[in-house]
Amino acid sequence: MTRPDLTTHIGPLTLKNPVMTASGTFGYGLEFAPLLDLHALGAVVVKGLTLAPRRGNPPPRVVETASGLLNAIGLENPGVESFLKEILPQLEKYAVPVIVNISGNTLDEYALLAARLNDTAVSAVEVNISCPNVKQGGLVFGTVPEQAAEVVAAVRANTSLPVIVKLSPNVTDIVGIARSVAAAGADALSLINTLLGMAIDIKRRRPVLGNVFGGLSGPAVKPVAIRMVWQVSQAVDIPVIGMGGIVSTEDALEFIMAGATAVAVGTGNFINPQATVEIIKGLEEYCIKENIAKIDDLVGIAWKDGQNGK
Amino acid sequence: MQRQYVEIKNLKQLTGRYYLLTLAAPLVARSVKPGQFVQLKVSAQLDPLLRRPFSIHDWCDAQGNVEILFQVRGKGTRLLADRKQGDYLDMLGPLGNGFSIPRAPGKALLIGGGIGAAPLWGLAKSLHARNWQVTVLLGGAGEQFLVRPEEFSRWGRTIITTDDGSRGISGRVTEALPLVAAQEFDQIYACGPKPMLAAIYDWARITGLPLQVSLDEVMACGMGVCLGCAHPVRKGKETVYAKVCSQGPVFDAREVVWHDQA
């Protein structure tokens, strides 16, 4: 059999396969170069950037929970200028699509960030309206449909790049937010970001994390993410990038069958830094074994077949 | 840095809480620096989820071995202690920067508290091999918390303290500092609980001696991408967060913010 076609389209962006990295779990990509071929990845989504550098939250910033990880990093990053000057030129050499995750405190900051990435080697922007670990912006924009739409419209008006919007699961109606964001001009959606949570240190009788609350990720959140991908992919016409607890090929397949056009490995990179390339290989093997010519044929198959009465 | 499956050649209990793990890892044994660490996946299951960081205790290039001396503290280390000879572990490393040893041989003071003394063994060996004169201050809560108390004297004069007086001098390891003539030393190295390190820093500052400390923070990735193991350090007049995994775990004590108000 010929090799299956893993090509994936995220709006105007074409990826050689559907496996990407989730923002904040892959650094700026370069850190992984000793361990894997970056060029083999569908895309690298880098750690979230802001206009000005951010110091991040006081430690402790991470704590492990049952099959999960709570983090409150607080968007520590060197700022967009430093990224463009120091990091991007190095990353360009690997000839892998680079998607930049952006966060702002105000609409203007989102607009300025988006505009700054035009005419660079960046392939797409991922708008973060879902960070649970910063006081302003972030999650506030991501939980009210009208505000989410305003952010997306501001970014859309200032960039020629594909616009991906990363949604928060910390809402009562994920479909409402997704529709609102799609109508405002998003090319694709990433879901899910982390679930807001916390842990208590019973010896100190205090919250474990310096920031008190943190975002829960890892296999513990996967069923929530699958459910949201299932709902949203049926409600909007733009592609969904599924993420939340992917550590294996089977996890990635679950997301694709639930309706994800592409998938991103997040916390899984911390457990197995080679998870992305192993999953790409695993998807290819699965397609060969199951006689599937195009990975695209599997997208949403769990609900598409249902509609056909199977 | 490599990721590889390594065979457990030996795993033995040293005292009630300390275990010595010998791994067949020739690539790491060849390139490791004292003070570096590895990330081990203690089980293939998803709980515990993350790898656990362990300082490298000793290594032997000729045999291709790397040794980890660890304390059972929680679920992850309990599972590791229950692994068997012949099992394979998923290992990432060597990681971090390790201790730096000045080229010209001199006199070094090594201070280890509890399991913090584990990486100082490999450091003492390296210093010894480079003709440094080594003095070791080895402390623990009680006798069972001392790291290889009989054997450390192989590398030089060893002074032992225990908080409960079960062995050596009764009291904390820092209380033995007046017993050593600070001005004799060219370099101090320390690893242990943070209050211990802060007290040693205060002492070193008065005496003006260079001090390298190995810090311990909860880590997720171990390779500088998750930004979870942040510790405040001074950068000019500013306080910034350093990544203990990739910018450390060894720091010049003068850079570290010891009494954090952040």
Side-chain angles (χ1 to χ4, degrees):
Chain A
M1 173 171 174
T2 54
R3 288 180 78 177
D5 182 6
L6 297 187
T7 311
T8 298
H9 300 278
I10 302 295
L13 188 64
T14 301
L15 310 180
K16 67 167 92 64
N17 66 63
V19 180
M20 322 183 354
T21 64
S23 179
T25 64
F26 207 67
Y28 298 96
L30 302 168
E31 298 89 337
F32 284 76
L35 293 165
L36 57 88
D37 177 13
L38 291 172
H39 180 68
L41 303 177
V44 167
V45 183
V46 298
K47 168 74 180 165
L49 292 174
T50 48
L51 274 180
R54 279 182 66 101
R55 200 166 82 116
N57 287 331
R61 289 177 171 184
V62 290
V63 57
E64 184 172 327
T65 59
S67 297
L69 174 67
L70 267 176
N71 88 80
I73 308 302
L75 285 178
E76 178 181 334
N77 79 93
V80 69
E81 293 305 330
S82 173
F83 168 76
L84 292 174
K85 196 165 151 234
E86 324 270 340
I87 302 168
L88 188 59
Q90 296 182 63
L91 194 48
E92 272 182 71
K93 293 177 196 153
Y94 293 94
V96 60
V98 174
I99 298 175
V100 170
N101 178 288
I102 59 170
S103 280
N105 290 329
T106 62
L107 283 176
D108 279 350
E109 286 187 15
Y110 279 103
L112 286 167
L113 267 164
R116 186 67 189 87
L117 298 172
N118 287 323
D119 307 313
T120 65
V122 170
S123 293
V125 290
E126 182 182 64
V127 187
N128 184 359
I129 52 167
S130 46
C131 180
N133 295 327
V134 291
K135 285 194 179 66
Q136 292 175 295
L139 190 54
V140 181
F141 286 121
T143 50
V144 181
E146 294 74 21
Q147 289 203 19
E150 278 184 42
V151 174
V152 176
V155 170
R156 177 77 286 165
N158 282 280
T159 184
S160 51
L161 295 172
V163 175
I164 303 164
V165 183
K166 188 162 183 177
L167 301 184
S168 170
N170 302 303
V171 294
T172 43
D173 178 17
I174 190 72
V175 171
I177 295 265
R179 285 198 172 118
S180 173
V181 162
D187 293 297
L189 301 173
S190 286
L191 53 138
I192 59 175
N193 205 322
T194 56
L195 284 152
L196 198 57
M198 79 178 282
I200 305 285
D201 178 343
I202 59 169
K203 277 190 198 144
R204 288 169 49 241
R205 303 181 178 181
R206 307 292 305 155
V208 174
L209 295 173
N211 188 54
V212 182
F213 295 164
L216 181 65
S217 64
V221 310
K222 196 185 80 175
V224 177
I226 297 279
R227 183 265 294 178
M228 288 187 167
V229 168
W230 165 279
Q231 287 179 302
V232 169
S233 64
Q234 294 183 71
V236 297
D237 293 326
I238 55 177
V240 168
I241 304 162
M243 63 198 73
I246 297 176
V247 299
S248 66
T249 300
E250 290 74 15
D251 295 333
L253 284 166
E254 244 190 281
F255 273 92
I256 292 167
M257 291 178 188
T261 301
V263 295
V265 178
T267 304
N269 292 311
F270 302 157
I271 301 151
N272 174 7
Q274 294 160 329
T276 44
V277 285
E278 289 176 12
I279 290 169
I280 293 165
K281 190 162 167 273
L283 290 177
E284 189 168 273
E285 286 168 0
Y286 176 86
C287 289
I288 292 169
K289 191 168 131 266
E290 299 291 324
N291 221 3
I292 289 155
K294 304 201 306 281
I295 192 91
D296 224 25
D297 294 342
L298 288 173
V299 175
I301 200 163
W303 51 262
K304 283 177 184 161
D305 273 9
Q307 284 174 348
N308 295 338
K310 286 178 190 167
Chain B
M1 172 186 45
Q2 321 238 350
R3 173 181 173 236
Q4 52 185 323
Y5 286 89
V6 295
E7 188 186 355
I8 298 176
K9 278 190 165 174
N10 197 23
L11 176 57
K12 67 179 178 191
Q13 195 168 7
L14 295 180
T15 68
R17 299 186 186 238
Y18 291 168
Y19 289 77
L20 186 63
L21 172 67
T22 307
L23 300 167
L27 293 174
V28 174
R30 193 174 307 152
S31 65
V32 67
K33 283 174 62 184
Q36 287 190 300
F37 68 101
V38 294
Q39 283 264 67
L40 294 176
K41 186 85 177 86
V42 298
S43 90
Q45 306 305 311
L46 295 178
D47 188 25
L49 183 66
L50 299 171
R51 290 166 185 268
R52 296 291 188 265
F54 296 95
S55 67
I56 294 170
H57 174 67
D58 199 0
W59 59 91
C60 175
D61 191 8
Q63 292 178 301
N65 288 349
V66 167
E67 289 187 341
I68 308 292
L69 196 152
F70 68 97
Q71 178 178 10
V72 172
R73 277 190 178 168
K75 193 160 53 179
T77 44
R78 178 74 259 158
L79 281 166
L80 184 60
D82 291 340
R83 298 298 293 261
K84 300 281 177 277
Q85 190 178 335
D87 283 358
Y88 279 77
L89 294 173
D90 180 346
M91 183 177 85
L92 187 66
L95 300 162
N97 59 8
F99 295 105
S100 71
I101 300 175
R103 193 164 295 172
K107 293 181 180 178
L109 175 64
L110 280 56
I111 310 169
I115 194 65
L120 299 185
W121 176 273
L123 174 65
K125 184 174 96 164
S126 299
L127 287 163
H128 189 261
R130 296 196 204 177
N131 300 313
W132 278 68
Q133 191 181 315
V134 174
T135 300
V136 180
L137 269 181
L138 197 62
E143 191 176 14
Q144 73 275 25
F145 292 98
L146 294 168
V147 168
R148 303 176 79 171
E150 286 82 15
E151 296 154 284
F152 247 111
S153 54
R154 186 186 301 174
W155 313 119
R157 180 189 174 206
T158 301
I159 301 166
I160 288 170
T161 70
T162 51
D163 297 357
D164 65 3
S166 53
R167 179 142 176 191
I169 297 162
S170 179
R172 293 181 184 277
V173 74
T174 44
E175 288 166 41
L177 287 174
L179 297 180
V180 296
Q183 64 280 7
E184 268 186 31
F185 297 102
D186 303 296
Q187 185 69 50
I188 309 175
Y189 300 93
C191 183
K194 207 169 290 170
M196 175 196 117
L197 296 180
I200 294 168
Y201 172 64
D202 289 339
W203 177 76
R205 198 171 44 172
I206 293 162
T207 56
L209 289 171
L211 168 65
Q212 295 177 42
V213 293
S214 179
L215 299 182
D216 184 22
E217 283 292 337
V218 174
M219 289 177 189
C221 72
M223 47 186 277
V225 297
C226 76
L227 314 182
C229 61
H231 195 285
V233 296
R234 262 180 268 281
K235 188 179 170 190
K237 283 181 179 169
E238 268 185 287
T239 297
V240 297
Y241 290 114
K243 294 166 270 194
V244 170
C245 68
S246 59
Q247 292 169 267
V250 178
F251 291 89
D252 180 330
R254 289 170 301 185
E255 293 172 7
V256 176
V257 175
W258 289 105
H259 308 284
D260 191 19
Q261 319 81 352

